[in-house]
Amino acid sequence: MLFRSGTGAYAGAHGEVDSVRADDGSWTHTLTFETTDPAAPTTDIVVEASDPVSHDLKLTSEPGMARGDARTWHFAGTTADGEPVSMFGAHYRVLGEGEQGPGSEVVGIAVLRDANGDLLLAAGRNPIGPADDPYPPVGVTIERPIIGGTGRFAGARGEQTVLHKGDGELVFTSHVLLPAGDASETLILRRDPMSASVVDLHESGETRGDRRMVELTFDGEENEPPVLRGYLMTIDVADASEPTHGLLGIATITFDDGSTIVLGDARRVDPAKGLADGPHAWPILGGTGRYAGIGGEMVTTLDADGRITETLTIRR
């Protein structure tokens, strides 16, 4: 599987993990990765948030907040330089309250969207408070890897920290490492329009927690054409303050030699608009095989004949 980034001494490291199970049931995990190019350009983005909007998704049947429960959140604000941004994301509870101390632990993804619509993705784990407290402990700085982005953040790695100053006031600091130089390669894939099976978890219509399961086959002369498989989950629905739906998901393109490219999808969608209203960019989170350690973005556009072109700009 891919290894995209890390924190601390491994911030920005990228490569792949080879996992082998022995006859006795034990596992050996071998990480092959490169560290950050010291010549890579960097930028810091600091966002302060007070009282982010938060929604709970109850996806398990157990009472109270338990393992498997999900929380979604979003807010709008400005950076320390005055740039308007928004942030949204979702996290899943993997350690319930009281299992190992009074609080819980979650894993999830956070998305920063700038005024141009460019995205920066961070993912990782962090402790949160007991009961329904959605915040990290006051005064504790948590760290999570930056795993990709689109536009000016395409191919980004690095580290994001989150500090809870108290009373719901959070400070997000993203130390962004960008690919060094302009070298890239382009891969163009074409396909028919997407069809998806929908898992509707709540009442009919678009609601938080619904998932679209996708499988697509691209054109190709290979014995086995590239195939994309993945899903999108609705994390927020349109309301008076935000007339769009928030979606998070992940997809993998598998090639005939077994190599893969992994994509993250994080976006806000206006239900009244379609692909014809403009292109959509997916961050490339990494890959395996001949694509091990890559970053970049995949841009989806609608052709004049109604078919779809996927243009992947790959950075190494």
Side-chain angles (χ1 to χ4, degrees):
M1 64 185 163
L2 67 91
F3 174 38
R4 178 59 186 161
S5 191
T7 62
Y10 298 106
H14 52 288
E16 63 182 341
V17 181
D18 184 28
S19 299
V20 179
R21 185 179 182 182
D23 293 339
D24 62 1
S26 63
W27 287 85
T28 299
H29 304 284
T30 303
L31 284 72
T32 304
F33 61 90
E34 300 176 10
T35 55
T36 302
D37 186 338
T42 64
T43 185
D44 288 329
I45 303 171
V46 180
V47 180
E48 294 196 16
S50 178
D51 297 327
V53 176
S54 181
H55 301 283
D56 280 337
L57 296 179
K58 194 61 179 162
L59 299 182
T60 68
S61 59
E62 298 181 25
M65 297 300 292
R67 288 190 182 190
D69 291 344
R71 181 185 298 274
T72 65
W73 53 272
H74 70 270
F75 68 88
T78 58
T79 69
D81 297 327
E83 178 186 6
V85 298
S86 61
M87 293 191 70
F88 63 100
H91 57 228
Y92 286 88
R93 193 168 301 227
V94 295
L95 188 65
E97 182 180 350
E99 292 181 333
Q100 292 184 23
S104 301
E105 188 170 285
V106 297
V107 296
I109 189 167
V111 184
L112 182 149
R113 181 180 63 175
D114 70 9
N116 296 319
D118 297 337
L119 303 179
L120 182 69
L121 277 64
R125 54 169 288 276
N126 61 269
I128 60 174
D132 290 332
D133 182 358
Y135 303 113
V138 174
V140 174
T141 299
I142 63 172
E143 302 171 341
R144 51 196 179 200
I146 291 172
I147 57 175
T150 64
R152 66 176 172 134
F153 301 125
R157 297 188 298 273
E159 181 178 65
Q160 182 181 87
T161 62
V162 185
L163 171 64
H164 183 195
K165 298 172 68 175
D167 296 327
E169 186 177 356
L170 305 175
V171 179
F172 295 80
T173 302
S174 302
H175 183 60
V176 185
L177 308 174
L178 299 171
D182 297 324
S184 65
E185 59 187 276
T186 302
L187 176 64
I188 296 178
L189 303 172
R190 300 190 75 232
R191 61 175 174 85
D192 290 328
M194 183 175 70
S195 60
S197 58
V198 177
V199 179
D200 197 337
L201 295 185
H202 304 289
E203 62 269 19
S204 61
E206 188 89 11
T207 55
R208 287 189 292 270
D210 291 350
R211 286 190 275 275
R212 297 167 176 83
M213 316 304 291
V214 180
E215 180 170 340
L216 302 167
T217 300
F218 295 98
D219 298 345
E221 301 300 326
E222 301 167 282
N223 293 332
E224 297 182 24
V227 176
L228 179 150
R229 295 183 178 90
Y231 77 94
L232 292 170
M233 184 180 76
T234 302
I235 65 166
D236 276 310
V237 293
D239 56 29
S241 63
E242 181 69 76
T244 59
H245 293 166
L247 302 174
L248 287 179
I250 193 165
T252 300
I253 301 175
T254 303
F255 295 85
D256 64 342
D257 66 349
S259 298
T260 65
I261 293 177
V262 178
L263 307 161
D265 201 15
R267 51 174 155 157
R268 302 202 74 90
V269 177
D270 187 338
K273 296 182 179 180
L275 184 58
D277 292 283
H280 167 64
W282 298 55
I284 295 175
L285 306 184
T288 62
R290 68 178 189 262
Y291 296 114
I294 66 167
E297 66 179 346
M298 182 178 83
V299 176
T300 303
T301 54
L302 182 66
D303 295 344
D305 60 2
R307 303 188 75 233
I308 305 296
T309 294
E310 307 285 11
T311 302
L312 287 82
T313 301
I314 297 169
R315 307 293 298 271
R316 297 184 184 272

